[in-house]
Amino acid sequence: SQKIEQNSEALNIQEGKTATLTCNYTNYSPAYLQWYRQDPGRGPVFLLLIRENEKEKRKERLKVTFDTTLKQSLFHITASQPADSATYLCALGNDGGGGNKLTFGTGTQLKVEL
Amino acid sequence: EAQVTQNPRYLITVTGKKLTVTCSQNMNHEYMSWYRQDPGLGLRQIYYSMNVEVTDKGDVPEGYKVSRKEKRNFPLILESPSPNQTSLYFCASSLSGVRVRETQYFGPGTRLLVL
């Protein structure tokens, strides 16, 4: 069965450092992958989308890589700030063929300390 | 302001008492979806709708019903709630009714407790 794995343990890093979160998947060939941020008690907020034919995507301090051979995506936040503290979710999706849906990982909690 | 709204935000009910959670979006999106979020299990899709009068099951549809009579509204119905439906529920919408590669916009969530 399809499986998406994100680090279940919280990631604690110091302000100014680069945070790197991982998303691994098995038994899945996604056409694209999305990353969301979720704050406690609130709905996820979209951050970045990367397609299967793209290796890397950037947006301001955020960078996402997508390696379909390793079946892995990495999400980087450079120059991290305490305001970046949240849970980050990856979600995989396919186009058409009944796959009109996203499948989410369980998320990784990031804590950026002063 | 472009948004997805859900009501109620918090609900405590008893086993077997029918309830409806409403979801509305003002972005003219074709695609709408319901998720539940439980600790350790992440977001799991309950039902989705690609357009008016078109709905389909997600990964965990048992015990739930939906309808899509208007483009903007997508209510979630629990005909006979049970304690295992205690969860945090999110409604989401996106522009396309065919491909979900577009951004999904999530509502604020509805926290449901079934006693």
Side-chain angles (χ1 to χ4, degrees):
Chain A
S1 62
Q2 298 171 353
K3 194 173 183 182
I4 301 171
E5 290 185 340
Q6 295 186 254
N7 288 346
S8 57
E9 292 185 11
L11 176 63
N12 297 322
I13 65 166
Q14 198 171 21
E15 182 180 20
K17 302 291 186 185
T18 296
T20 299
L21 308 177
T22 61
C23 176
N24 296 301
Y25 59 93
T26 56
N27 297 324
Y28 207 136
S29 296
Y32 58 92
L33 189 149
Q34 298 184 358
W35 282 90
Y36 288 78
R37 169 186 173 137
Q38 186 175 23
D39 292 288
R42 308 192 72 169
V45 175
F46 172 80
L47 296 174
L48 280 168
L49 178 150
I50 187 166
R51 295 178 173 81
E52 60 178 338
N53 59 349
E54 298 175 318
K55 297 293 185 186
E56 182 179 298
K57 207 73 166 291
R58 290 175 185 262
K59 180 183 177 183
E60 297 172 350
R61 293 185 296 112
L62 309 180
K63 184 178 84 171
V64 172
T65 62
F66 194 10
D67 189 328
T68 55
T69 300
L70 291 178
K71 295 186 181 295
Q72 179 181 77
S73 174
L74 299 178
F75 177 78
H76 306 273
I77 305 175
T78 58
S80 59
Q81 306 165 359
D84 295 326
S85 298
T87 296
Y88 291 86
L89 309 173
C90 70
L92 280 63
N94 280 313
D95 292 330
N100 291 302
K101 63 179 185 178
L102 286 178
T103 301
F104 282 83
T106 53
T108 297
Q109 187 178 13
L110 172 66
K111 295 181 182 177
V112 181
E113 299 164 338
L114 292 169
Chain B
E1 180 189 354
Q3 59 182 350
V4 178
T5 57
Q6 296 178 226
N7 281 293
R9 295 288 314 279
Y10 304 90
L11 180 59
I12 301 174
T13 190
V14 294
T15 298
K17 186 176 182 181
K18 180 179 179 180
L19 67 92
T20 298
V21 184
T22 64
C23 174
S24 182
Q25 50 91 7
N26 62 0
M27 297 170 279
N28 202 36
H29 284 172
E30 293 185 342
Y31 184 95
M32 297 185 75
S33 181
W34 275 104
Y35 295 86
R36 61 177 289 174
Q37 188 173 35
D38 303 287
L41 296 177
L43 279 162
R44 293 180 293 166
Q45 191 175 49
I46 303 171
Y47 270 94
Y48 64 94
S49 169
M50 286 162 53
N51 213 324
V52 176
E53 302 293 359
V54 180
T55 63
D56 209 345
K57 296 177 181 179
D59 295 319
V60 288
E62 294 78 19
Y64 304 94
K65 285 176 58 178
V66 292
S67 69
R68 187 91 181 274
K69 293 184 172 58
E70 304 168 280
K71 198 171 187 179
R72 62 183 292 125
N73 296 322
F74 190 43
L76 179 69
I77 302 157
L78 284 70
E79 294 270 3
S80 182
S82 62
N84 65 11
Q85 293 178 298
T86 292
S87 187
L88 179 58
Y89 291 87
F90 290 102
C91 180
S93 73
S94 67
L95 182 61
S96 172
V98 176
R99 296 175 180 228
V100 194
R101 59 174 62 226
E102 289 88 5
T103 304
Q104 287 206 31
Y105 295 85
F106 283 80
T110 295
R111 192 169 291 279
L112 172 65
L113 173 61
V114 183
L115 300 173

